Amino acid sequence: QQQVKQSPQSLIVQKGGISIINCAYENTAFDYFPWYQQFPGKGPALLIAIRPDVSEKKEGRFTISFNKSAKQFSLHIMDSQPGDSATYFCAASWRGRGAQKLVFGQGTRLTINP
Amino acid sequence: DAGVTQSPTHLIKTRGQHVTLRCSPISGHKSVSWYQQVLGQGPQFIFQYYEKEERGRGNFPDRFSARQFPNYSSELNVNALLLGDSALYLCASSPTTDTNSPLHFGNGTRLTVT
């Protein structure tokens, strides 16, 4: 299955709180898992990415947790700020017939209340 | 450094017309991919080109075509436009077609078909 399921669809968090977005996949051919942040009127911007042989990756306030056996991964945003308000997409990359293909989740609209 | 640039930013076309969208990749990137993002959804893979050759195609009809030029810039063409083609068309570039080669997106072309 070439799907990535993302939840929740929308999320409201208070300033300073932790935002958590979850994703799940079926296809074991996926071997790279990036997260993108998209502001209105802009293209998706690469935030952080992880390979399946790593269980956790942290960059500043952003952390990816990866559970290979459960085929699940999640994004944690620590000390969430109003500037983090955006739509977040998880994605999974695979090489199909010579092409690098990204399969995206449906997106999570994150709102950080001041 | 300039990021991925796309033109035009907005376009309004009538059903049945043809459209050409343009993309310039990040300097040094040889791969260009095209994605379609319908409002409220994650981007969907259309094409990937590398060294002027098509490397992969997503589940889109033959009305969609693309090409890559010797300077690695790319064009996406859509013939016989349908109302359902209204979307944000995103171009992304990457250094290679490896699955862990980061995809960097432009801000897209917003196409409206009336």
Side-chain angles (χ1 to χ4, degrees):
Chain A
Q1 272 286 16
Q2 300 302 324
Q3 278 188 332
V4 176
K5 295 181 180 179
Q6 183 173 346
S7 63
Q9 280 189 310
S10 62
L11 181 62
I12 300 174
V13 174
Q14 292 299 116
K15 179 183 174 183
I18 302 174
S19 304
I20 302 174
I21 304 170
N22 300 299
C23 287
Y25 66 97
E26 288 294 326
N27 189 352
T28 55
F30 292 141
D31 62 0
Y32 181 68
F33 300 86
W35 284 85
Y36 284 84
Q37 178 190 57
Q38 187 174 29
F39 292 104
K42 301 291 186 181
L46 180 63
L47 200 57
I48 186 173
I50 196 168
R51 296 178 62 95
D53 54 349
V54 175
S55 60
E56 185 175 282
K57 183 174 181 180
K58 184 176 181 179
E59 288 184 2
R61 296 185 295 110
F62 300 92
T63 300
I64 301 177
S65 297
F66 192 88
N67 186 329
K68 188 174 181 178
S69 60
K71 298 180 188 172
Q72 294 175 350
F73 57 111
S74 60
L75 176 70
H76 292 62
I77 305 175
M78 314 299 286
D79 187 25
S80 299
Q81 299 296 313
D84 297 331
S85 297
T87 300
Y88 291 80
F89 292 96
C90 63
S93 181
W94 70 295
R95 194 179 181 88
R97 298 175 191 170
Q100 172 199 27
K101 299 179 182 178
L102 273 184
V103 178
F104 284 83
Q106 288 289 90
T108 296
R109 176 175 279 187
L110 175 65
T111 302
I112 307 299
N113 282 335
Chain B
D1 282 346
V4 176
T5 58
Q6 293 186 242
S7 63
T9 55
H10 295 83
L11 205 49
I12 299 175
K13 290 286 189 178
T14 304
R15 274 179 299 176
Q17 285 188 318
H18 161 270
V19 68
T20 298
L21 312 180
R22 295 177 174 82
C23 171
S24 293
I26 292 172
S27 177
H29 286 192
K30 296 181 179 181
S31 173
V32 169
S33 299
W34 288 94
Y35 284 75
Q36 181 196 64
Q37 186 176 23
V38 174
L39 198 61
Q41 297 184 18
Q44 278 199 298
F45 174 77
I46 308 176
F47 286 110
Q48 185 180 44
Y49 277 77
Y50 181 75
E51 292 280 16
K52 296 169 287 180
E53 289 186 3
E54 181 182 309
R55 287 300 186 93
R57 182 188 185 107
N59 190 22
F60 282 81
D62 291 344
R63 298 185 296 107
F64 289 76
S65 64
R67 55 179 176 167
Q68 186 177 32
F69 299 99
N71 65 354
Y72 304 112
S73 66
S74 177
E75 280 182 357
L76 175 69
N77 295 284
V78 186
N79 291 324
L81 285 167
L82 304 174
L83 293 179
D85 295 332
S86 295
L88 181 67
Y89 288 86
L90 296 163
C91 174
S93 75
S94 56
T96 70
T97 60
D98 293 339
T99 53
N100 62 352
S101 187
L103 277 184
H104 298 272
F105 286 86
N107 286 329
T109 293
R110 171 72 63 188
L111 173 64
T112 302
V113 182
T114 62

